[in-house]
Amino acid sequence: MHFTLTMPDWADEELRNLPASLPTVEDRMAAVIRFSRLNIEHDTGGPFDAGVFERDSGKPLMIGVNRVMAHQISSAHAEIMTLSLAQQMLGTYDLGGPSLPAYQFVVNWRPCAMCFGATLWSGIRSLVIAGSGPELEQITGFDEGPVHPEWKAELAKRGIELIEDVLKDEAMAVYRQFADSHAFIYNARLGNAT
Amino acid sequence: MHFTLTMPDWADEELRNLPASLPTVEDRMAAVIRFSRLNIEHDTGGPFDAGVFERDSGKPLMIGVNRVMAHQISSAHAEIMTLSLAQQMLGTYDLGGPSLPAYQFVVNWRPCAMCFGATLWSGIRSLVIAGSGPELEQITGFDEGPVHPEWKAELAKRGIELIEDVLKDEAMAVYRQFADSHAFIYNARLGNAT
């Protein structure tokens, strides 16, 4: 028994075309948000994306996209995809291992209840998010689940730096685009039915 | 880009040999604990295992084992393996979908912070655990992470039944076996070094 989770073909192409370094956290978040937009425009998954970068050099290691619907597997969130692919590339389940540079995890919103745990287990040293408020759920209707009330303290306890509110408006623009396109799809179906 | 998570060969064989039905929650937990013991005895992963069963008929759908070390992927916990394989078998990311029987998730301890989220997203209707106290961390040294303080209420809010303390002593016996075998491995290394 096995299961395989894939990235869409367009993402492989986009990954090859990334610059060798994305110096600032804004550069890195912009790349992640670009993937989130492409993922909904190609209809290959939800509007959630995540990237692993070398924190100090800005070298991109992996940007992964949400593949829940594509594979019909509920844990195929962008964070799980990205961390797993990054760990596979490096051959280690611990991205914070002693011989490795510090890795930074860049996500276009606060990770959900599951992915917050996955973040803690991955060995990343820094977490950059576009936002953490109720806007995501309000715009998209997605349930982010019961993230631990002391999530910031839990990150700090494990030595994981947190950088918040990076390109928040840009991230939210993609959620609005997603919500609008789904409204269109529902209307189209309704149109067929009447 | 893709990644593949596999079950060990012995587990495929064991799955084929499961009875058509495991009527009681104790029967189901005993099967899960058996897999957890075989996983450490075959050195194919950690002592954590999970099963998905039809709640009312007791038909086993999948029992999966921890594969973090085997694949060097930190999210390859038993719960993620099992839920993903079960969803792949049924072709749906929602095990609680309208045309499906109610599924029960049986785990040999309370799911960790990540897997608690994965449990909520999977669509299972019932969660059976061997225990939820500090014994697991005390015996094995594993970190279960910041599970939400209101985890029982969060399950109830989503209509997921919770059945606790099923074969707790039997589950803990495997954790002790794991801890003892690791003590032996460390001693062996120390022996080589001196």
Side-chain angles (χ1 to χ4, degrees):
Chain A
M1 298 287 304
H2 69 273
F3 67 99
T4 297
L5 298 179
T6 67
M7 288 275 281
D9 291 340
W10 65 259
D12 288 349
E13 178 75 18
E14 289 287 332
L15 278 171
R16 280 191 294 272
N17 293 335
L18 283 175
S21 168
L22 292 160
T24 70
V25 292
E26 288 80 12
D27 295 335
R28 300 169 201 179
M29 184 64 80
V32 166
I33 290 173
R34 175 178 157 75
F35 273 66
S36 80
R37 188 169 49 75
L38 289 170
N39 204 33
I40 61 171
E41 289 179 356
H42 285 94
D43 198 22
T44 45
F48 305 111
D49 297 76
V52 173
F53 300 85
E54 287 187 12
R55 185 191 61 193
D56 300 333
S57 75
K59 183 182 164 186
L61 180 65
M62 176 55 56
I63 299 180
V65 300
N66 174 287
R67 295 288 276 163
V68 170
M69 296 302 288
H71 288 294
Q72 292 289 315
I73 285 184
S74 60
S75 66
H77 286 203
E79 294 93 329
I80 303 268
M81 293 294 301
T82 306
L83 294 169
S84 300
L85 289 166
Q87 290 169 341
Q88 176 175 266
M89 283 180 75
L90 297 177
T92 175
Y93 71 91
D94 181 8
L95 298 176
S99 62
L100 296 174
Y103 283 104
Q104 184 171 68
F105 195 38
V106 180
V107 192
N108 65 338
W109 209 256
R110 184 179 70 169
C112 80
M114 171 180 72
C115 293
F116 181 70
T119 300
L120 298 179
W121 301 155
S122 70
I124 61 106
R125 307 285 189 135
S126 172
L127 174 63
V128 178
I129 58 178
S132 63
E135 297 92 332
L136 166 61
E137 291 189 339
Q138 287 166 357
I139 296 170
T140 65
F142 282 110
D143 181 2
E144 291 299 287
V147 174
H148 198 285
E150 299 297 325
W151 64 282
K152 291 188 188 186
E154 292 291 339
L155 289 169
K157 248 166 62 179
R158 288 167 168 81
I160 302 172
E161 167 194 46
L162 174 66
I163 301 173
E164 298 183 83
D165 293 336
V166 175
L167 303 190
K168 185 174 182 176
D169 290 343
E170 290 81 349
M172 284 170 54
V174 177
Y175 298 138
R176 285 204 194 87
Q177 184 181 341
F178 175 79
D180 289 347
S181 69
H182 273 61
F184 173 74
I185 290 167
Y186 295 141
N187 288 339
R189 283 187 183 152
L190 189 64
N192 288 337
T194 54
Chain B
M1 298 286 304
H2 69 274
F3 67 100
T4 297
L5 299 178
T6 67
M7 289 276 280
D9 291 339
W10 64 260
D12 288 348
E13 179 75 18
E14 289 288 332
L15 278 172
R16 279 190 296 271
N17 293 336
L18 284 175
S21 168
L22 292 159
T24 70
V25 292
E26 287 79 12
D27 295 334
R28 299 169 201 178
M29 183 65 81
V32 166
I33 291 173
R34 175 177 156 75
F35 272 66
S36 80
R37 188 168 49 74
L38 290 170
N39 205 33
I40 61 171
E41 288 179 356
H42 285 94
D43 199 22
T44 44
F48 305 110
D49 298 77
V52 173
F53 300 85
E54 288 187 11
R55 185 191 61 195
D56 300 332
S57 74
K59 182 181 166 189
L61 180 65
M62 176 55 56
I63 299 180
V65 300
N66 174 289
R67 295 288 276 163
V68 171
M69 296 302 287
H71 288 293
Q72 293 288 317
I73 286 185
S74 60
S75 65
H77 286 204
E79 294 93 329
I80 303 267
M81 293 294 300
T82 305
L83 294 169
S84 300
L85 288 166
Q87 290 168 342
Q88 176 176 264
M89 283 180 74
L90 296 178
T92 175
Y93 70 91
D94 182 8
L95 299 176
S99 61
L100 295 174
Y103 283 103
Q104 184 173 67
F105 195 40
V106 180
V107 192
N108 66 337
W109 209 256
R110 184 181 69 170
C112 79
M114 171 180 72
C115 293
F116 181 70
T119 299
L120 298 180
W121 299 155
S122 69
I124 60 107
R125 306 286 187 134
S126 172
L127 174 64
V128 178
I129 58 179
S132 64
E135 297 93 332
L136 166 62
E137 290 189 339
Q138 287 165 357
I139 297 170
T140 65
F142 281 109
D143 181 1
E144 290 299 286
V147 174
H148 198 284
E150 299 296 325
W151 64 282
K152 291 189 188 186
E154 291 291 340
L155 289 169
K157 248 164 63 178
R158 287 168 170 81
I160 302 173
E161 168 194 46
L162 174 66
I163 301 173
E164 297 184 82
D165 293 336
V166 175
L167 303 189
K168 185 173 181 176
D169 290 343
E170 290 82 348
M172 284 170 53
V174 177
Y175 298 138
R176 285 203 194 87
Q177 184 181 342
F178 175 79
D180 290 347
S181 68
H182 272 62
F184 173 75
I185 290 167
Y186 293 142
N187 288 340
R189 284 186 184 152
L190 190 63
N192 288 338
T194 53

mmCIF file of all heavy atoms in Angstrom, chain A residues 9-39:
data_model
loop_
_atom_site.group_PDB
_atom_site.id
_atom_site.type_symbol
_atom_site.label_atom_id
_atom_site.label_comp_id
_atom_site.label_asym_id
_atom_site.label_seq_id
_atom_site.Cartn_x
_atom_site.Cartn_y
_atom_site.Cartn_z
ATOM 1 N N ASP A 9 1.816 20.218 -12.950
ATOM 2 C CA ASP A 9 2.908 20.435 -13.920
ATOM 3 C C ASP A 9 3.340 21.899 -13.981
ATOM 4 O O ASP A 9 4.521 22.198 -14.080
ATOM 5 C CB ASP A 9 2.468 19.969 -15.314
ATOM 6 C CG ASP A 9 2.328 18.455 -15.376
ATOM 7 O OD1 ASP A 9 2.924 17.763 -14.514
ATOM 8 O OD2 ASP A 9 1.620 17.970 -16.268
ATOM 9 N N TRP A 10 2.371 22.818 -13.931
ATOM 10 C CA TRP A 10 2.734 24.240 -14.051
ATOM 11 C C TRP A 10 3.658 24.659 -12.909
ATOM 12 O O TRP A 10 4.521 25.523 -13.079
ATOM 13 C CB TRP A 10 1.491 25.138 -14.110
ATOM 14 C CG TRP A 10 0.652 25.134 -12.862
ATOM 15 C CD1 TRP A 10 -0.503 24.448 -12.646
ATOM 16 C CD2 TRP A 10 0.914 25.848 -11.635
ATOM 17 N NE1 TRP A 10 -0.968 24.672 -11.373
ATOM 18 C CE2 TRP A 10 -0.125 25.531 -10.740
ATOM 19 C CE3 TRP A 10 1.907 26.718 -11.227
ATOM 20 C CZ2 TRP A 10 -0.193 26.055 -9.447
ATOM 21 C CZ3 TRP A 10 1.848 27.236 -9.935
ATOM 22 C CH2 TRP A 10 0.815 26.906 -9.067
ATOM 23 N N ALA A 11 3.504 24.025 -11.737
ATOM 24 C CA ALA A 11 4.324 24.411 -10.580
ATOM 25 C C ALA A 11 5.772 23.955 -10.769
ATOM 26 O O ALA A 11 6.704 24.667 -10.379
ATOM 27 C CB ALA A 11 3.728 23.824 -9.306
ATOM 28 N N ASP A 12 5.956 22.784 -11.368
ATOM 29 C CA ASP A 12 7.326 22.333 -11.654
ATOM 30 C C ASP A 12 8.033 23.371 -12.541
ATOM 31 O O ASP A 12 9.186 23.720 -12.303
ATOM 32 C CB ASP A 12 7.300 20.975 -12.371
ATOM 33 C CG ASP A 12 6.904 19.835 -11.440
ATOM 34 O OD1 ASP A 12 6.846 20.053 -10.213
ATOM 35 O OD2 ASP A 12 6.650 18.731 -11.941
ATOM 36 N N GLU A 13 7.329 23.821 -13.537
ATOM 37 C CA GLU A 13 7.869 24.832 -14.465
ATOM 38 C C GLU A 13 8.166 26.146 -13.719
ATOM 39 O O GLU A 13 9.245 26.726 -13.876
ATOM 40 C CB GLU A 13 6.838 25.062 -15.580
ATOM 41 C CG GLU A 13 7.197 26.103 -16.615
ATOM 42 C CD GLU A 13 8.242 25.624 -17.601
ATOM 43 O OE1 GLU A 13 8.442 24.392 -17.691
ATOM 44 O OE2 GLU A 13 8.877 26.482 -18.249
ATOM 45 N N GLU A 14 7.227 26.582 -12.892
ATOM 46 C CA GLU A 14 7.418 27.827 -12.127
ATOM 47 C C GLU A 14 8.606 27.710 -11.163
ATOM 48 O O GLU A 14 9.345 28.671 -10.968
ATOM 49 C CB GLU A 14 6.148 28.169 -11.335
ATOM 50 C CG GLU A 14 4.974 28.630 -12.175
ATOM 51 C CD GLU A 14 5.170 30.043 -12.732
ATOM 52 O OE1 GLU A 14 5.888 30.847 -12.103
ATOM 53 O OE2 GLU A 14 4.619 30.319 -13.808
ATOM 54 N N LEU A 15 8.745 26.541 -10.560
ATOM 55 C CA LEU A 15 9.856 26.333 -9.614
ATOM 56 C C LEU A 15 11.198 26.476 -10.324
ATOM 57 O O LEU A 15 12.132 27.076 -9.798
ATOM 58 C CB LEU A 15 9.765 24.940 -8.975
ATOM 59 C CG LEU A 15 8.808 24.789 -7.800
ATOM 60 C CD1 LEU A 15 8.660 23.321 -7.406
ATOM 61 C CD2 LEU A 15 9.293 25.599 -6.601
ATOM 62 N N ARG A 16 11.284 25.917 -11.538
ATOM 63 C CA ARG A 16 12.539 26.024 -12.302
ATOM 64 C C ARG A 16 12.854 27.469 -12.651
ATOM 65 O O ARG A 16 14.018 27.831 -12.814
ATOM 66 C CB ARG A 16 12.444 25.184 -13.586
ATOM 67 C CG ARG A 16 12.680 23.699 -13.378
ATOM 68 C CD ARG A 16 12.846 22.954 -14.700
ATOM 69 N NE ARG A 16 11.629 22.950 -15.503
ATOM 70 C CZ ARG A 16 10.663 22.027 -15.406
ATOM 71 N NH1 ARG A 16 10.781 21.036 -14.547
ATOM 72 N NH2 ARG A 16 9.582 22.091 -16.166
ATOM 73 N N ASN A 17 11.824 28.276 -12.781
ATOM 74 C CA ASN A 17 12.024 29.668 -13.196
ATOM 75 C C ASN A 17 12.209 30.647 -12.036
ATOM 76 O O ASN A 17 12.332 31.853 -12.266
ATOM 77 C CB ASN A 17 10.841 30.124 -14.055
ATOM 78 C CG ASN A 17 10.789 29.378 -15.373
ATOM 79 O OD1 ASN A 17 11.820 28.882 -15.853
ATOM 80 N ND2 ASN A 17 9.609 29.274 -15.955
ATOM 81 N N LEU A 18 12.198 30.155 -10.797
ATOM 82 C CA LEU A 18 12.417 31.061 -9.655
ATOM 83 C C LEU A 18 13.849 31.592 -9.686
ATOM 84 O O LEU A 18 14.770 30.888 -10.083
ATOM 85 C CB LEU A 18 12.196 30.317 -8.334
ATOM 86 C CG LEU A 18 10.760 30.043 -7.895
ATOM 87 C CD1 LEU A 18 10.783 29.176 -6.627
ATOM 88 C CD2 LEU A 18 9.987 31.323 -7.646
ATOM 89 N N PRO A 19 14.040 32.833 -9.232
ATOM 90 C CA PRO A 19 15.415 33.344 -9.128
ATOM 91 C C PRO A 19 16.217 32.541 -8.095
ATOM 92 O O PRO A 19 15.641 31.874 -7.237
ATOM 93 C CB PRO A 19 15.228 34.792 -8.664
ATOM 94 C CG PRO A 19 13.831 34.908 -8.205
ATOM 95 C CD PRO A 19 13.030 33.813 -8.813
ATOM 96 N N ALA A 20 17.535 32.625 -8.199
ATOM 97 C CA ALA A 20 18.407 31.858 -7.303
ATOM 98 C C ALA A 20 18.249 32.317 -5.858
ATOM 99 O O ALA A 20 18.480 31.556 -4.921
ATOM 100 C CB ALA A 20 19.856 31.991 -7.736
ATOM 101 N N SER A 21 17.862 33.585 -5.675
ATOM 102 C CA SER A 21 17.659 34.095 -4.324
ATOM 103 C C SER A 21 16.499 35.074 -4.300
ATOM 104 O O SER A 21 16.319 35.879 -5.227
ATOM 105 C CB SER A 21 18.941 34.791 -3.835
ATOM 106 O OG SER A 21 18.652 35.518 -2.646
ATOM 107 N N LEU A 22 15.712 35.015 -3.228
ATOM 108 C CA LEU A 22 14.672 36.004 -2.968
ATOM 109 C C LEU A 22 15.059 36.674 -1.653
ATOM 110 O O LEU A 22 14.819 36.146 -0.578
ATOM 111 C CB LEU A 22 13.308 35.317 -2.892
ATOM 112 C CG LEU A 22 12.845 34.754 -4.251
ATOM 113 C CD1 LEU A 22 11.780 33.678 -4.085
ATOM 114 C CD2 LEU A 22 12.296 35.871 -5.126
ATOM 115 N N PRO A 23 15.700 37.835 -1.752
ATOM 116 C CA PRO A 23 16.385 38.404 -0.579
ATOM 117 C C PRO A 23 15.480 38.770 0.602
ATOM 118 O O PRO A 23 15.844 38.512 1.751
ATOM 119 C CB PRO A 23 17.078 39.652 -1.132
ATOM 120 C CG PRO A 23 17.170 39.439 -2.607
ATOM 121 C CD PRO A 23 15.983 38.607 -2.966
ATOM 122 N N THR A 24 14.315 39.353 0.375
ATOM 123 C CA THR A 24 13.499 39.827 1.502
ATOM 124 C C THR A 24 12.310 38.904 1.756
ATOM 125 O O THR A 24 11.898 38.141 0.880
ATOM 126 C CB THR A 24 12.953 41.242 1.233
ATOM 127 O OG1 THR A 24 11.965 41.161 0.191
ATOM 128 C CG2 THR A 24 14.063 42.189 0.776
ATOM 129 N N VAL A 25 11.733 39.022 2.957
ATOM 130 C CA VAL A 25 10.537 38.218 3.243
ATOM 131 C C VAL A 25 9.379 38.628 2.337
ATOM 132 O O VAL A 25 8.535 37.800 1.994
ATOM 133 C CB VAL A 25 10.115 38.294 4.736
ATOM 134 C CG1 VAL A 25 11.139 37.606 5.615
ATOM 135 C CG2 VAL A 25 9.841 39.705 5.186
ATOM 136 N N GLU A 26 9.370 39.877 1.906
ATOM 137 C CA GLU A 26 8.321 40.313 0.971
ATOM 138 C C GLU A 26 8.503 39.626 -0.392
ATOM 139 O O GLU A 26 7.525 39.197 -1.011
ATOM 140 C CB GLU A 26 8.332 41.834 0.804
ATOM 141 C CG GLU A 26 7.812 42.605 2.010
ATOM 142 C CD GLU A 26 8.855 42.738 3.130
ATOM 143 O OE1 GLU A 26 10.053 42.434 2.899
ATOM 144 O OE2 GLU A 26 8.460 43.133 4.246
ATOM 145 N N ASP A 27 9.753 39.520 -0.852
ATOM 146 C CA ASP A 27 10.016 38.800 -2.112
ATOM 147 C C ASP A 27 9.519 37.355 -2.009
ATOM 148 O O ASP A 27 8.925 36.813 -2.949
ATOM 149 C CB ASP A 27 11.527 38.738 -2.398
ATOM 150 C CG ASP A 27 12.148 40.097 -2.650
ATOM 151 O OD1 ASP A 27 11.421 41.015 -3.078
ATOM 152 O OD2 ASP A 27 13.377 40.230 -2.428
ATOM 153 N N ARG A 28 9.803 36.745 -0.869
ATOM 154 C CA ARG A 28 9.448 35.318 -0.695
ATOM 155 C C ARG A 28 7.934 35.153 -0.625
ATOM 156 O O ARG A 28 7.361 34.264 -1.244
ATOM 157 C CB ARG A 28 10.133 34.770 0.570
ATOM 158 C CG ARG A 28 11.651 34.871 0.472
ATOM 159 C CD ARG A 28 12.382 34.594 1.785
ATOM 160 N NE ARG A 28 13.720 35.191 1.721
ATOM 161 C CZ ARG A 28 14.623 35.171 2.693
ATOM 162 N NH1 ARG A 28 14.333 34.581 3.837
ATOM 163 N NH2 ARG A 28 15.805 35.739 2.533
ATOM 164 N N MET A 29 7.269 36.036 0.133
ATOM 165 C CA MET A 29 5.814 35.962 0.229
ATOM 166 C C MET A 29 5.169 36.238 -1.131
ATOM 167 O O MET A 29 4.173 35.596 -1.495
ATOM 168 C CB MET A 29 5.295 36.955 1.274
ATOM 169 C CG MET A 29 3.788 36.875 1.515
ATOM 170 S SD MET A 29 3.256 35.291 2.225
ATOM 171 C CE MET A 29 3.668 35.568 3.953
ATOM 172 N N ALA A 30 5.732 37.163 -1.893
ATOM 173 C CA ALA A 30 5.171 37.462 -3.220
ATOM 174 C C ALA A 30 5.223 36.216 -4.103
ATOM 175 O O ALA A 30 4.271 35.931 -4.849
ATOM 176 C CB ALA A 30 5.933 38.624 -3.868
ATOM 177 N N ALA A 31 6.305 35.448 -4.019
ATOM 178 C CA ALA A 31 6.405 34.211 -4.803
ATOM 179 C C ALA A 31 5.351 33.208 -4.357
ATOM 180 O O ALA A 31 4.683 32.559 -5.183
ATOM 181 C CB ALA A 31 7.808 33.618 -4.672
ATOM 182 N N VAL A 32 5.167 33.078 -3.047
ATOM 183 C CA VAL A 32 4.172 32.140 -2.506
ATOM 184 C C VAL A 32 2.758 32.560 -2.937
ATOM 185 O O VAL A 32 1.947 31.726 -3.360
ATOM 186 C CB VAL A 32 4.296 32.069 -0.968
ATOM 187 C CG1 VAL A 32 3.085 31.393 -0.337
ATOM 188 C CG2 VAL A 32 5.585 31.338 -0.582
ATOM 189 N N ILE A 33 2.468 33.844 -2.848
ATOM 190 C CA ILE A 33 1.135 34.327 -3.238
ATOM 191 C C ILE A 33 0.916 34.124 -4.745
ATOM 192 O O ILE A 33 -0.180 33.792 -5.183
ATOM 193 C CB ILE A 33 0.965 35.810 -2.832
ATOM 194 C CG1 ILE A 33 0.877 35.908 -1.298
ATOM 195 C CG2 ILE A 33 -0.275 36.426 -3.480
ATOM 196 C CD1 ILE A 33 0.888 37.333 -0.763
ATOM 197 N N ARG A 34 1.986 34.303 -5.529
ATOM 198 C CA ARG A 34 1.881 34.057 -6.971
ATOM 199 C C ARG A 34 1.473 32.598 -7.232
ATOM 200 O O ARG A 34 0.582 32.329 -8.044
ATOM 201 C CB ARG A 34 3.231 34.363 -7.632
ATOM 202 C CG ARG A 34 3.305 34.039 -9.102
ATOM 203 C CD ARG A 34 4.689 34.447 -9.666
ATOM 204 N NE ARG A 34 4.986 33.699 -10.866
ATOM 205 C CZ ARG A 34 4.434 33.929 -12.032
ATOM 206 N NH1 ARG A 34 3.565 34.913 -12.163
ATOM 207 N NH2 ARG A 34 4.730 33.183 -13.089
ATOM 208 N N PHE A 35 2.090 31.663 -6.516
ATOM 209 C CA PHE A 35 1.712 30.250 -6.666
ATOM 210 C C PHE A 35 0.258 30.030 -6.236
ATOM 211 O O PHE A 35 -0.458 29.225 -6.827
ATOM 212 C CB PHE A 35 2.645 29.351 -5.839
ATOM 213 C CG PHE A 35 3.897 28.924 -6.556
ATOM 214 C CD1 PHE A 35 4.869 29.848 -6.912
ATOM 215 C CD2 PHE A 35 4.121 27.594 -6.869
ATOM 216 C CE1 PHE A 35 6.035 29.461 -7.569
ATOM 217 C CE2 PHE A 35 5.279 27.187 -7.527
ATOM 218 C CZ PHE A 35 6.239 28.117 -7.868
ATOM 219 N N SER A 36 -0.185 30.721 -5.188
ATOM 220 C CA SER A 36 -1.570 30.526 -4.724
ATOM 221 C C SER A 36 -2.565 30.980 -5.788
ATOM 222 O O SER A 36 -3.590 30.343 -6.010
ATOM 223 C CB SER A 36 -1.796 31.262 -3.397
ATOM 224 O OG SER A 36 -2.024 32.648 -3.585
ATOM 225 N N ARG A 37 -2.213 32.090 -6.476
ATOM 226 C CA ARG A 37 -3.090 32.582 -7.538
ATOM 227 C C ARG A 37 -3.091 31.616 -8.720
ATOM 228 O O ARG A 37 -4.139 31.270 -9.267
ATOM 229 C CB ARG A 37 -2.643 33.989 -7.964
ATOM 230 C CG ARG A 37 -3.592 34.671 -8.934
ATOM 231 C CD ARG A 37 -3.270 36.155 -9.116
ATOM 232 N NE ARG A 37 -1.856 36.410 -9.392
ATOM 233 C CZ ARG A 37 -1.252 36.178 -10.553
ATOM 234 N NH1 ARG A 37 -1.939 35.688 -11.569
ATOM 235 N NH2 ARG A 37 0.035 36.451 -10.701
ATOM 236 N N LEU A 38 -1.895 31.149 -9.097
ATOM 237 C CA LEU A 38 -1.800 30.207 -10.218
ATOM 238 C C LEU A 38 -2.542 28.906 -9.903
ATOM 239 O O LEU A 38 -3.147 28.291 -10.792
ATOM 240 C CB LEU A 38 -0.330 29.924 -10.544
ATOM 241 C CG LEU A 38 0.414 31.102 -11.187
ATOM 242 C CD1 LEU A 38 1.925 30.822 -11.247
ATOM 243 C CD2 LEU A 38 -0.130 31.388 -12.590
ATOM 244 N N ASN A 39 -2.518 28.491 -8.641
ATOM 245 C CA ASN A 39 -3.179 27.228 -8.283
ATOM 246 C C ASN A 39 -4.690 27.308 -8.499
ATOM 247 O O ASN A 39 -5.305 26.348 -8.967
ATOM 248 C CB ASN A 39 -2.876 26.855 -6.825
ATOM 249 C CG ASN A 39 -3.000 25.363 -6.565
ATOM 250 O OD1 ASN A 39 -2.711 24.545 -7.450
ATOM 251 N ND2 ASN A 39 -3.419 24.994 -5.368
#
